Each structure stands twice: as structure tokens, then as C-alpha cells.
Amino acid sequence: MTATDTTRAVAPEHGTLAKAADENFPVAPFFLPRAWRTDLMAVYGFARLVDDIGDGDLAPGGADARLLGVPEDRADDRLLMLDAFEEDLRRVFDASDGPPRHPLLRGLVPTVRRRALTPEPFLGLIAANRQDQLVARYETYDDLLAYCELSANPVGRLVLAVTGTSTPERIRRSDEICTALQIVEHLQDVAEDLGRDRIYLPAEDMKRFHVQETDLAAPTANASVRALIAYESGRARDLLNEGAPLVGSVHGRLRLLLAGFVAGGRAALRAIAAADHDVLPGPPKAGKVHLLREAGVVLRGEG
Ligand SMILES: CC(C)=CCC/C(C)=C/CC/C(C)=C/COP(=O)(O)OP(=O)(O)O
């Protein structure tokens, strides 16, 4: 048991929130106003827990299941856990049935009230994790985009809602950025996802590039896999470019935060290209220098 697991055995919500430090993206960085950080952490707690349920990464001991009213011997039933979690989410928005049972959802109540958040983005994240239990292959790119609408776009919409900056145009650009970031993560994590028997590369593209599933299980990528990864990287790059004007449309510290997200995506794509698109040994790491350089480019509005 790690130190984090030990903490979670006592108070599961603390272990979940502690994971913020290890995320690919900054969750609630120090330079943001305290009130935003508080609300972004509350939203993060929700998103982390729903992903942990969906990925089977809950702390051992069954504390989360107990809190959600799921019998201990069914705590491994991810669909049942997601249903119970969704039921508890409803108590965040409708107190007639009493307060939420899970402390991370109770912690979300003041944020939802303060920022007038709606259930949709939260329900989307639950639906994405439900889909992960039922769908392990994507036939077309459009199918994958529909998945990203549930798994990633709600995150950006929540950031805009918490910071009071939502407009239809910003939401559209935020969706482009979030979908791009999700595709980048999928490209970095091909090997890890395959370990969970999940493939997020569209089957139609695999066919076109003559890539078989067994090619993805190899320790290093052959030329076909590299060509496929380069193709999907180009799509992600285009989406990031289309969404990037979102950064210049906001001000102050939020602009810094969003520039960091776009720069993070671009730096990750650069690292993938630098690895000659061989992502199979593990995610190619983006250097800090490249990240800062990309952030400078975004902030100067040059890309
Ligand atoms: C306003 C705006 C544009 C904000 C951007 C917010 C942001 C960082 C979105 C990322 C979305 C994303 C890739 C979620 C999945 O991450 P994950 O780590 O849960 O991925 P996994 O499900 O593959 O583990």
C-alpha cells in the first residue's frame, strides 16, 4: 500500500484530491485566485473519482462503494458503481432526497451553487466512463469525436463556467482544444490503453494505414504504426490551432492557464514527433523548455 492509499483508507476524498499533483495538466495552479482554485479542485475531485471508478483504480478497502451504498461484494462492478455515483450526483442538484453521501460530491455543492453549474458536463463525464465499460474499439473518427464530447469537452466547459467566461464561441473553441488534448493523450497512451484492452485509434484509419492490433502490442512501432500516429497527430494539431484563439479571448490569469493547456498539447505533439512517432515504449516526455517556448508562442498570439 502506498502512502496515498493509506490516506485514502482513512478518508477516501483526501487520496483522490492528492492525485491532482500527478495529472498531465495543472489542475488549480497557484497563480489563480483562491476562489477559482477552490472550485476547480471541487470539480477535479468529481472528475478524478469518476475516472477512478471507470478505470478500476479506486483505493482497496471498498470505502467509496460503502459511501455510495453499493454492497461490498459488488464494489468491482464498475457499471453499478457509476449508476450509484450518478444517483448521488443528483443529490448535488436536488436536495429533496438529502445531501450527497460521498464527501467529494458534498464538497461540490457550494461550487455548483456559487457558479450556477448545470448537471450536463458532470453527466457527460459519467457517460464517458460508462462507455469505456461497453465500447473498447472505435470504428470511425466521428465515433471517437463523439466519445471526446463526453470524456473531455465537459472539462473545458466546467473551467469556463467556474471562471464565469462561457460564451457560445468560447465553448466551441474550448471543445476543440479539449478534444485535441484527449486525442493527444490517446496517442501517448496507446500501449497503456491496449493493456486495458482499449484502442482509441479509429479502426477505419488502422485499416487504411495497414495497422493490425498485434502491431500495437509490439515493444516498438513499425513504419505503418508511425505513419498512423503521425496522421492522427496532425488532426490533433489542427484542432488545437482552431481552438487556440480562445486564449486571446480571455484575460489575466485565466489566459495564462489556457495558454498552458494549449502549449501542453503542442509540446506533447512535438515530443511524439521527436520520438519519430514511436509511442509504444511509453508516452514520449515533453521537456519544460519546449513547454515554456510553446506557451510564449500562444501568449504572443503567434499560433
Ligand atoms: C477551457 C479549456 C480549454 C480547458 C481545458 C481543460 C482540460 C485540461 C481538458 C483536458 C480534457 C481531457 C484530455 C480529459 C481526459 O483526461 P484524463 O487524464 O482523465 O484522460 P484519461 O481519461 O485518458 O485518463
PDB file of all heavy atoms in Angstrom, residues 159-183:
ATOM      1  N   VAL A 159     -14.418  24.522 -16.766  1.00  0.00           N
ATOM      2  CA  VAL A 159     -13.427  25.579 -16.482  1.00  0.00           C
ATOM      3  C   VAL A 159     -14.022  26.940 -16.863  1.00  0.00           C
ATOM      4  O   VAL A 159     -13.930  27.916 -16.107  1.00  0.00           O
ATOM      5  CB  VAL A 159     -12.107  25.324 -17.249  1.00  0.00           C
ATOM      6  CG1 VAL A 159     -11.173  26.526 -17.142  1.00  0.00           C
ATOM      7  CG2 VAL A 159     -11.407  24.065 -16.720  1.00  0.00           C
ATOM      8  N   LEU A 160     -14.672  27.012 -18.022  1.00  0.00           N
ATOM      9  CA  LEU A 160     -15.281  28.283 -18.447  1.00  0.00           C
ATOM     10  C   LEU A 160     -16.393  28.691 -17.480  1.00  0.00           C
ATOM     11  O   LEU A 160     -16.530  29.863 -17.117  1.00  0.00           O
ATOM     12  CB  LEU A 160     -15.837  28.168 -19.871  1.00  0.00           C
ATOM     13  CG  LEU A 160     -14.813  27.944 -20.995  1.00  0.00           C
ATOM     14  CD1 LEU A 160     -15.522  27.870 -22.357  1.00  0.00           C
ATOM     15  CD2 LEU A 160     -13.755  29.049 -21.027  1.00  0.00           C
ATOM     16  N   ALA A 161     -17.194  27.710 -17.048  1.00  0.00           N
ATOM     17  CA  ALA A 161     -18.320  28.034 -16.159  1.00  0.00           C
ATOM     18  C   ALA A 161     -17.815  28.509 -14.795  1.00  0.00           C
ATOM     19  O   ALA A 161     -18.320  29.496 -14.245  1.00  0.00           O
ATOM     20  CB  ALA A 161     -19.231  26.818 -15.997  1.00  0.00           C
ATOM     21  N   VAL A 162     -16.793  27.829 -14.269  1.00  0.00           N
ATOM     22  CA  VAL A 162     -16.264  28.220 -12.955  1.00  0.00           C
ATOM     23  C   VAL A 162     -15.671  29.630 -13.012  1.00  0.00           C
ATOM     24  O   VAL A 162     -15.789  30.417 -12.067  1.00  0.00           O
ATOM     25  CB  VAL A 162     -15.203  27.194 -12.468  1.00  0.00           C
ATOM     26  CG1 VAL A 162     -14.325  27.780 -11.377  1.00  0.00           C
ATOM     27  CG2 VAL A 162     -15.889  25.920 -11.984  1.00  0.00           C
ATOM     28  N   THR A 163     -15.060  29.974 -14.141  1.00  0.00           N
ATOM     29  CA  THR A 163     -14.403  31.288 -14.246  1.00  0.00           C
ATOM     30  C   THR A 163     -15.355  32.345 -14.820  1.00  0.00           C
ATOM     31  O   THR A 163     -14.934  33.481 -15.069  1.00  0.00           O
ATOM     32  CB  THR A 163     -13.133  31.191 -15.120  1.00  0.00           C
ATOM     33  OG1 THR A 163     -13.494  30.643 -16.413  1.00  0.00           O
ATOM     34  CG2 THR A 163     -12.095  30.290 -14.473  1.00  0.00           C
ATOM     35  N   GLY A 164     -16.600  31.960 -15.037  1.00  0.00           N
ATOM     36  CA  GLY A 164     -17.608  32.929 -15.487  1.00  0.00           C
ATOM     37  C   GLY A 164     -17.322  33.494 -16.867  1.00  0.00           C
ATOM     38  O   GLY A 164     -17.616  34.661 -17.137  1.00  0.00           O
ATOM     39  N   THR A 165     -16.743  32.684 -17.761  1.00  0.00           N
ATOM     40  CA  THR A 165     -16.339  33.199 -19.071  1.00  0.00           C
ATOM     41  C   THR A 165     -17.026  32.474 -20.236  1.00  0.00           C
ATOM     42  O   THR A 165     -16.596  32.624 -21.381  1.00  0.00           O
ATOM     43  CB  THR A 165     -14.801  33.085 -19.243  1.00  0.00           C
ATOM     44  OG1 THR A 165     -14.416  31.726 -18.967  1.00  0.00           O
ATOM     45  CG2 THR A 165     -14.054  34.009 -18.312  1.00  0.00           C
ATOM     46  N   SER A 166     -18.073  31.702 -19.957  1.00  0.00           N
ATOM     47  CA  SER A 166     -18.715  30.930 -21.040  1.00  0.00           C
ATOM     48  C   SER A 166     -19.421  31.848 -22.041  1.00  0.00           C
ATOM     49  O   SER A 166     -20.173  32.747 -21.635  1.00  0.00           O
ATOM     50  CB  SER A 166     -19.777  29.986 -20.474  1.00  0.00           C
ATOM     51  OG  SER A 166     -19.215  29.116 -19.542  1.00  0.00           O
ATOM     52  N   THR A 167     -19.148  31.633 -23.316  1.00  0.00           N
ATOM     53  CA  THR A 167     -19.956  32.205 -24.400  1.00  0.00           C
ATOM     54  C   THR A 167     -20.041  31.085 -25.446  1.00  0.00           C
ATOM     55  O   THR A 167     -19.190  30.183 -25.437  1.00  0.00           O
ATOM     56  CB  THR A 167     -19.310  33.433 -25.073  1.00  0.00           C
ATOM     57  OG1 THR A 167     -18.103  33.010 -25.725  1.00  0.00           O
ATOM     58  CG2 THR A 167     -18.997  34.554 -24.083  1.00  0.00           C
ATOM     59  N   PRO A 168     -21.005  31.137 -26.361  1.00  0.00           N
ATOM     60  CA  PRO A 168     -21.090  30.052 -27.351  1.00  0.00           C
ATOM     61  C   PRO A 168     -19.790  29.884 -28.136  1.00  0.00           C
ATOM     62  O   PRO A 168     -19.337  28.756 -28.376  1.00  0.00           O
ATOM     63  CB  PRO A 168     -22.253  30.483 -28.248  1.00  0.00           C
ATOM     64  CG  PRO A 168     -23.108  31.341 -27.373  1.00  0.00           C
ATOM     65  CD  PRO A 168     -22.160  32.054 -26.453  1.00  0.00           C
ATOM     66  N   GLU A 169     -19.160  30.998 -28.529  1.00  0.00           N
ATOM     67  CA  GLU A 169     -17.927  30.854 -29.323  1.00  0.00           C
ATOM     68  C   GLU A 169     -16.793  30.258 -28.483  1.00  0.00           C
ATOM     69  O   GLU A 169     -16.045  29.390 -28.939  1.00  0.00           O
ATOM     70  CB  GLU A 169     -17.504  32.197 -29.903  1.00  0.00           C
ATOM     71  CG  GLU A 169     -16.330  31.989 -30.855  1.00  0.00           C
ATOM     72  CD  GLU A 169     -15.759  33.278 -31.423  1.00  0.00           C
ATOM     73  OE1 GLU A 169     -16.466  34.294 -31.393  1.00  0.00           O
ATOM     74  OE2 GLU A 169     -14.597  33.238 -31.878  1.00  0.00           O
ATOM     75  N   ARG A 170     -16.685  30.707 -27.254  1.00  0.00           N
ATOM     76  CA  ARG A 170     -15.618  30.150 -26.392  1.00  0.00           C
ATOM     77  C   ARG A 170     -15.858  28.659 -26.143  1.00  0.00           C
ATOM     78  O   ARG A 170     -14.918  27.870 -26.100  1.00  0.00           O
ATOM     79  CB  ARG A 170     -15.563  30.899 -25.065  1.00  0.00           C
ATOM     80  CG  ARG A 170     -15.003  32.298 -25.193  1.00  0.00           C
ATOM     81  CD  ARG A 170     -14.533  32.786 -23.831  1.00  0.00           C
ATOM     82  NE  ARG A 170     -14.095  34.158 -23.903  1.00  0.00           N
ATOM     83  CZ  ARG A 170     -14.685  35.170 -23.261  1.00  0.00           C
ATOM     84  NH1 ARG A 170     -15.725  34.946 -22.477  1.00  0.00           N
ATOM     85  NH2 ARG A 170     -14.220  36.401 -23.388  1.00  0.00           N
ATOM     86  N   ILE A 171     -17.113  28.284 -25.967  1.00  0.00           N
ATOM     87  CA  ILE A 171     -17.411  26.867 -25.731  1.00  0.00           C
ATOM     88  C   ILE A 171     -16.982  26.052 -26.948  1.00  0.00           C
ATOM     89  O   ILE A 171     -16.387  24.979 -26.824  1.00  0.00           O
ATOM     90  CB  ILE A 171     -18.915  26.678 -25.402  1.00  0.00           C
ATOM     91  CG1 ILE A 171     -19.202  27.218 -23.999  1.00  0.00           C
ATOM     92  CG2 ILE A 171     -19.316  25.206 -25.503  1.00  0.00           C
ATOM     93  CD1 ILE A 171     -20.671  27.234 -23.613  1.00  0.00           C
ATOM     94  N   ARG A 172     -17.263  26.585 -28.145  1.00  0.00           N
ATOM     95  CA  ARG A 172     -16.887  25.849 -29.375  1.00  0.00           C
ATOM     96  C   ARG A 172     -15.358  25.665 -29.429  1.00  0.00           C
ATOM     97  O   ARG A 172     -14.852  24.581 -29.686  1.00  0.00           O
ATOM     98  CB  ARG A 172     -17.387  26.623 -30.596  1.00  0.00           C
ATOM     99  CG  ARG A 172     -17.171  25.915 -31.916  1.00  0.00           C
ATOM    100  CD  ARG A 172     -17.880  26.634 -33.063  1.00  0.00           C
ATOM    101  NE  ARG A 172     -17.520  28.044 -33.207  1.00  0.00           N
ATOM    102  CZ  ARG A 172     -16.380  28.477 -33.742  1.00  0.00           C
ATOM    103  NH1 ARG A 172     -15.499  27.615 -34.179  1.00  0.00           N
ATOM    104  NH2 ARG A 172     -16.127  29.774 -33.828  1.00  0.00           N
ATOM    105  N   ARG A 173     -14.631  26.733 -29.133  1.00  0.00           N
ATOM    106  CA  ARG A 173     -13.160  26.630 -29.203  1.00  0.00           C
ATOM    107  C   ARG A 173     -12.621  25.756 -28.074  1.00  0.00           C
ATOM    108  O   ARG A 173     -11.658  25.010 -28.260  1.00  0.00           O
ATOM    109  CB  ARG A 173     -12.539  28.026 -29.137  1.00  0.00           C
ATOM    110  CG  ARG A 173     -12.926  28.895 -30.348  1.00  0.00           C
ATOM    111  CD  ARG A 173     -11.884  29.968 -30.577  1.00  0.00           C
ATOM    112  NE  ARG A 173     -12.289  30.941 -31.576  1.00  0.00           N
ATOM    113  CZ  ARG A 173     -12.132  30.784 -32.886  1.00  0.00           C
ATOM    114  NH1 ARG A 173     -11.606  29.680 -33.360  1.00  0.00           N
ATOM    115  NH2 ARG A 173     -12.496  31.743 -33.725  1.00  0.00           N
ATOM    116  N   SER A 174     -13.252  25.862 -26.908  1.00  0.00           N
ATOM    117  CA  SER A 174     -12.832  25.018 -25.783  1.00  0.00           C
ATOM    118  C   SER A 174     -13.020  23.539 -26.139  1.00  0.00           C
ATOM    119  O   SER A 174     -12.160  22.688 -25.846  1.00  0.00           O
ATOM    120  CB  SER A 174     -13.654  25.396 -24.547  1.00  0.00           C
ATOM    121  OG  SER A 174     -13.531  24.419 -23.551  1.00  0.00           O
ATOM    122  N   ASP A 175     -14.133  23.236 -26.797  1.00  0.00           N
ATOM    123  CA  ASP A 175     -14.387  21.845 -27.213  1.00  0.00           C
ATOM    124  C   ASP A 175     -13.269  21.366 -28.148  1.00  0.00           C
ATOM    125  O   ASP A 175     -12.804  20.213 -28.041  1.00  0.00           O
ATOM    126  CB  ASP A 175     -15.739  21.725 -27.934  1.00  0.00           C
ATOM    127  CG  ASP A 175     -16.935  21.794 -26.977  1.00  0.00           C
ATOM    128  OD1 ASP A 175     -16.709  21.840 -25.753  1.00  0.00           O
ATOM    129  OD2 ASP A 175     -18.079  21.806 -27.462  1.00  0.00           O
ATOM    130  N   GLU A 176     -12.837  22.252 -29.062  1.00  0.00           N
ATOM    131  CA  GLU A 176     -11.774  21.851 -29.999  1.00  0.00           C
ATOM    132  C   GLU A 176     -10.472  21.553 -29.239  1.00  0.00           C
ATOM    133  O   GLU A 176      -9.798  20.545 -29.493  1.00  0.00           O
ATOM    134  CB  GLU A 176     -11.555  22.964 -31.042  1.00  0.00           C
ATOM    135  CG  GLU A 176     -12.702  23.025 -32.041  1.00  0.00           C
ATOM    136  CD  GLU A 176     -12.783  24.347 -32.814  1.00  0.00           C
ATOM    137  OE1 GLU A 176     -12.133  25.346 -32.417  1.00  0.00           O
ATOM    138  OE2 GLU A 176     -13.517  24.385 -33.805  1.00  0.00           O
ATOM    139  N   ILE A 177     -10.164  22.429 -28.282  1.00  0.00           N
ATOM    140  CA  ILE A 177      -8.936  22.207 -27.504  1.00  0.00           C
ATOM    141  C   ILE A 177      -9.031  20.911 -26.692  1.00  0.00           C
ATOM    142  O   ILE A 177      -8.102  20.089 -26.687  1.00  0.00           O
ATOM    143  CB  ILE A 177      -8.666  23.412 -26.558  1.00  0.00           C
ATOM    144  CG1 ILE A 177      -8.357  24.667 -27.381  1.00  0.00           C
ATOM    145  CG2 ILE A 177      -7.529  23.099 -25.587  1.00  0.00           C
ATOM    146  CD1 ILE A 177      -8.285  25.951 -26.553  1.00  0.00           C
ATOM    147  N   CYS A 178     -10.159  20.714 -26.028  1.00  0.00           N
ATOM    148  CA  CYS A 178     -10.290  19.528 -25.163  1.00  0.00           C
ATOM    149  C   CYS A 178     -10.266  18.237 -25.980  1.00  0.00           C
ATOM    150  O   CYS A 178      -9.621  17.255 -25.576  1.00  0.00           O
ATOM    151  CB  CYS A 178     -11.566  19.616 -24.332  1.00  0.00           C
ATOM    152  SG  CYS A 178     -11.472  20.901 -23.076  1.00  0.00           S
ATOM    153  N   THR A 179     -10.956  18.243 -27.104  1.00  0.00           N
ATOM    154  CA  THR A 179     -10.922  17.050 -27.959  1.00  0.00           C
ATOM    155  C   THR A 179      -9.495  16.788 -28.424  1.00  0.00           C
ATOM    156  O   THR A 179      -9.017  15.639 -28.409  1.00  0.00           O
ATOM    157  CB  THR A 179     -11.877  17.227 -29.164  1.00  0.00           C
ATOM    158  OG1 THR A 179     -13.223  17.204 -28.670  1.00  0.00           O
ATOM    159  CG2 THR A 179     -11.717  16.120 -30.182  1.00  0.00           C
ATOM    160  N   ALA A 180      -8.800  17.857 -28.807  1.00  0.00           N
ATOM    161  CA  ALA A 180      -7.404  17.689 -29.240  1.00  0.00           C
ATOM    162  C   ALA A 180      -6.557  17.097 -28.113  1.00  0.00           C
ATOM    163  O   ALA A 180      -5.763  16.168 -28.331  1.00  0.00           O
ATOM    164  CB  ALA A 180      -6.824  19.042 -29.674  1.00  0.00           C
ATOM    165  N   LEU A 181      -6.736  17.624 -26.886  1.00  0.00           N
ATOM    166  CA  LEU A 181      -5.928  17.125 -25.759  1.00  0.00           C
ATOM    167  C   LEU A 181      -6.241  15.658 -25.476  1.00  0.00           C
ATOM    168  O   LEU A 181      -5.350  14.871 -25.128  1.00  0.00           O
ATOM    169  CB  LEU A 181      -6.171  17.978 -24.509  1.00  0.00           C
ATOM    170  CG  LEU A 181      -5.705  19.433 -24.590  1.00  0.00           C
ATOM    171  CD1 LEU A 181      -6.077  20.189 -23.313  1.00  0.00           C
ATOM    172  CD2 LEU A 181      -4.183  19.503 -24.817  1.00  0.00           C
ATOM    173  N   GLN A 182      -7.515  15.301 -25.646  1.00  0.00           N
ATOM    174  CA  GLN A 182      -7.882  13.896 -25.416  1.00  0.00           C
ATOM    175  C   GLN A 182      -7.224  12.995 -26.471  1.00  0.00           C
ATOM    176  O   GLN A 182      -6.712  11.922 -26.158  1.00  0.00           O
ATOM    177  CB  GLN A 182      -9.397  13.744 -25.446  1.00  0.00           C
ATOM    178  CG  GLN A 182      -9.869  12.321 -25.241  1.00  0.00           C
ATOM    179  CD  GLN A 182      -9.745  11.843 -23.810  1.00  0.00           C
ATOM    180  OE1 GLN A 182     -10.636  12.027 -23.011  1.00  0.00           O
ATOM    181  NE2 GLN A 182      -8.630  11.217 -23.479  1.00  0.00           N
ATOM    182  N   ILE A 183      -7.236  13.462 -27.730  1.00  0.00           N
ATOM    183  CA  ILE A 183      -6.608  12.648 -28.786  1.00  0.00           C
ATOM    184  C   ILE A 183      -5.108  12.525 -28.515  1.00  0.00           C
ATOM    185  O   ILE A 183      -4.526  11.442 -28.660  1.00  0.00           O
ATOM    186  CB  ILE A 183      -6.887  13.266 -30.179  1.00  0.00           C
ATOM    187  CG1 ILE A 183      -8.382  13.133 -30.497  1.00  0.00           C
ATOM    188  CG2 ILE A 183      -6.040  12.594 -31.255  1.00  0.00           C
ATOM    189  CD1 ILE A 183      -8.825  13.835 -31.765  1.00  0.00           C
TER     190      ILE A 183
END
